[in-house]
Amino acid sequence: MTDTATMAGLDPATLNDVLRLAGSPGFDRIQEQIRRTGGCSDPIHLQGSTVTRDAATGQVLHSYSTGTEPGGRLRVACGNRRASRCPACAWTYAGDTYHLIRAGLVGDPAKGTPETIRDHPRVFATLTAPSFGPVHNRPGNRPCRCGTRHPEDTPELGTPLDPQTYDYAGAVLWNNHASDLWRYFTIYLRREIAKRAGLTQKAAREQSRLSFGKVAEYQKRGAVHFHAVIRFDGPEGPDTAPPAWASLDLLIDAIHAAAARVQVDVPPAGDQPARALRWGTQLDIQPIGAFGHGEEITEQAVASYVAKYATKAAETTGTVDRRIGSKEALVLLGVPDHPRRLIEACLDLHPLYPNRKLRDWAHMLGFRGHFSTKSRRYSTTLGALRQTRADYRAAQQRAALGLPDPDDETEATTLTLAHWAYAGHGHTPGESWLAANIRRDIQHNREIAREELPAQLALEGATG
Ligand SMILES: [Zn+2]
Ligand SMILES: [Zn+2]
């Protein structure tokens, strides 16, 4: 048992199951299986076998069957990226996002992003939604508009002072069009850059490319906002140096101008007025430096910040993490008042703007975009990271099962027959407890490793 001290608080059913597991003959193997999934909270169970034979002689070289595993099953990770569904797999995804954003900031020569991109002008920009009515907040040292000094974790934060006058329809229509606002922003940004460089758009594009890595985040009030790394590259992307005119000042100035120009028109429908959707006035742009001198934010801080939000979907606002069929379901699910009103606004507006699919995205408070996206040349891709990890896991699995490496020369002379079937998912209460402990151990160890990174960067700076 990894940590007997934490067993004290277990409920009797879980404790019994933990004791049963610990006493079972396959206990070590179950623990090993759960460790391989990274402590996944809802693993997929597989049943089946593989047999590898020498193609010429028919001799069995390796064989594996789940028949020898505890319960006759092999557990594999579920891979869900939502923290509310599976903390372990979501954490893996956050780690991937972290490496992706970081690779776009400090480079990753092994995966094709050169270290020289650290010299490219780049900023961390936050584009927000406008106001849809006053909400409870903590404005510095002053009390909230309601007269109260709210504690940091009070559920009222971000909820409207007056739900009767709050523009719920405007709020969800804005979320619903947020990706369009972003798209126009990138178009205008390229125009504003060319204008400032005194070039045509075509000429500007031929001299310098613009890269983005962005994540969407929900504010407490349920409005989406975007955090983005925006970077100048040279004519051929990250490998080439940007021209002299592509300065940090020009980039910042162009972002301000582009954000101010964006407007998406929503036509009137039913009882809804015509709306002109725009960004909020809170536009934050911070230059990114290697070590965070003065006004700069560090590369490390940006990557950590972005990764933290990559798995947080809309659940932080109190909504639910799956599609909602009806208003009645909201009551049964116990959704708090503010997110419930936002979801209801989506369901009410759906017939007025059918092509906006507001019903399908009601649980996302109208937002229908992706949580983390990047332009093609920003850095390595999530797919590439997943592949690397999958290859690593598969190799580990093969080693554990005594299977040959498919890249091995001998492969051509062998024949592998495999048969796998889905055999359910999830954990017993005891396995669940075990998985949570294993996940904590893994995360603790990796976080220590992650914290050592800034020291490493400082060292590079001192020597280089
Ligand atoms: Zn999982
Ligand atoms: Zn208040």
Side-chain angles (χ1 to χ4, degrees):
M1 202 61 26
T2 48
D3 189 354
T4 42
T6 60
M7 285 175 68
L10 288 180
D11 64 273
T14 308
L15 184 60
N16 270 336
D17 196 46
V18 170
L19 294 174
R20 176 193 63 79
L21 269 173
S24 71
F27 178 63
D28 285 347
R29 186 60 198 157
I30 288 185
Q31 223 175 351
E32 181 55 27
Q33 281 196 13
I34 296 174
R35 191 174 299 283
R36 278 177 196 284
T37 67
C40 173
S41 59
D42 190 21
I44 310 293
H45 297 197
L46 297 173
Q47 281 181 326
S49 60
T50 66
V51 178
T52 305
R53 293 173 188 277
D54 185 300
T57 66
Q59 186 198 352
V60 175
L61 301 173
H62 304 277
S63 70
Y64 166 75
S65 161
T66 53
T68 61
E69 298 285 354
R73 288 147 180 242
L74 181 70
R75 293 158 178 80
V76 297
C78 76
N80 200 298
R81 69 171 185 84
R82 291 191 165 194
S84 62
R85 295 276 186 94
C86 181
C89 293
W91 193 78
T92 305
Y93 178 82
D96 283 355
T97 307
Y98 170 85
H99 289 296
L100 177 104
I101 294 294
R102 190 172 178 279
L105 293 171
V106 306
D108 183 357
K111 298 200 177 70
T113 316
E115 279 165 352
T116 48
I117 56 159
R118 296 180 89 172
D119 303 326
H120 296 195
R122 64 263 168 93
V123 298
F124 188 52
T126 301
L127 291 103
T128 59
S131 171
F132 304 104
V135 295
H136 292 283
N137 61 5
R138 290 160 47 87
N141 295 322
R142 290 167 291 123
C144 172
R145 282 171 71 159
C146 73
T148 315
R149 279 177 198 276
H150 297 295
E152 207 171 324
D153 51 0
T154 189
E156 283 117 60
L157 290 177
T159 65
L161 287 166
D162 181 7
Q164 298 310 315
T165 58
Y166 194 78
D167 186 9
Y168 289 98
V172 298
L173 281 169
W174 196 91
N175 281 350
N176 190 253
H177 289 83
S179 298
D180 302 290
L181 278 124
W182 173 262
R183 192 162 45 83
Y184 283 119
F185 167 70
T186 60
I187 293 168
Y188 293 154
L189 180 54
R190 289 187 169 98
R191 273 186 212 164
E192 295 294 335
I193 286 169
K195 199 161 88 187
R196 278 160 183 73
L199 297 165
T200 63
Q201 279 193 70
K202 186 167 174 287
R205 203 171 46 238
E206 279 165 3
Q207 294 177 25
S208 173
R209 290 182 180 270
L210 203 58
S211 290
F212 304 93
K214 85 173 201 298
V215 285
E217 182 199 347
Y218 284 87
Q219 291 175 298
K220 282 241 166 57
R221 62 185 169 127
V224 164
H225 64 183
F226 293 116
H227 298 291
V229 174
I230 307 175
R231 188 185 72 210
F232 266 137
D233 286 338
E236 304 301 326
D239 297 316
T240 47
W245 59 257
S247 69
L248 192 61
D249 288 342
L250 184 142
L251 180 60
I252 293 172
D253 193 44
I255 291 172
H256 276 291
R261 276 188 57 191
V262 174
Q263 178 173 321
V264 174
D265 293 315
V266 178
D271 59 348
Q272 294 299 315
R275 292 170 199 267
L277 307 178
R278 306 179 63 88
W279 295 109
T281 49
Q282 281 185 313
L283 171 62
D284 186 55
I285 308 171
Q286 297 189 60
I288 303 169
F291 313 109
H293 297 302
E295 295 294 291
E296 291 180 344
I297 180 171
T298 65
E299 294 159 341
Q300 192 71 14
V302 169
S304 302
Y305 191 81
V306 168
K308 193 170 127 203
Y309 287 103
T311 61
K312 275 195 173 171
E315 293 94 276
T316 48
T317 63
T319 180
V320 292
D321 63 3
R322 51 207 78 196
R323 292 194 176 185
I324 292 161
S326 70
K327 291 185 185 178
E328 290 70 37
L330 295 172
V331 180
L332 293 172
L333 291 165
V335 176
D337 191 63
H338 183 59
R340 181 178 55 77
R341 286 174 189 258
L342 288 166
I343 293 169
E344 285 176 354
C346 289
L347 299 177
D348 289 339
L349 288 167
H350 179 79
L352 301 179
Y353 303 98
N355 61 343
R356 299 305 305 181
K357 307 257 187 282
L358 281 151
R359 192 192 291 137
D360 294 347
W361 301 104
H363 66 298
M364 304 289 274
L365 314 180
F367 180 57
R368 49 193 282 183
H370 291 288
F371 276 89
S372 62
T373 52
K374 60 171 200 66
S375 56
R376 196 165 53 85
R377 290 165 186 262
Y378 175 73
S379 73
T380 178
T381 63
L382 275 180
L385 283 170
R386 280 202 201 99
Q387 194 52 51
T388 307
R389 204 179 47 251
D391 289 348
Y392 174 72
R393 282 219 183 126
Q396 271 194 322
Q397 195 91 307
R398 271 194 308 274
L401 305 179
L403 292 172
D405 184 333
D407 296 332
D408 200 315
E409 295 282 297
T410 60
E411 227 257 322
T413 61
T414 63
L415 189 66
T416 300
L417 283 178
H419 174 74
W420 297 102
Y422 174 75
H425 69 103
H427 281 310
T428 68
E431 289 168 356
S432 206
W433 178 82
L434 206 59
N437 274 309
I438 287 171
R439 170 166 55 85
R440 254 195 306 277
D441 284 353
I442 295 173
Q443 294 190 1
H444 178 71
N445 292 339
R446 294 220 191 121
E447 255 142 40
I448 289 171
R450 236 184 240 181
E451 276 159 19
E452 282 164 4
L453 279 170
Q456 230 175 50
L457 289 177
L459 204 69
E460 283 170 24
T463 55

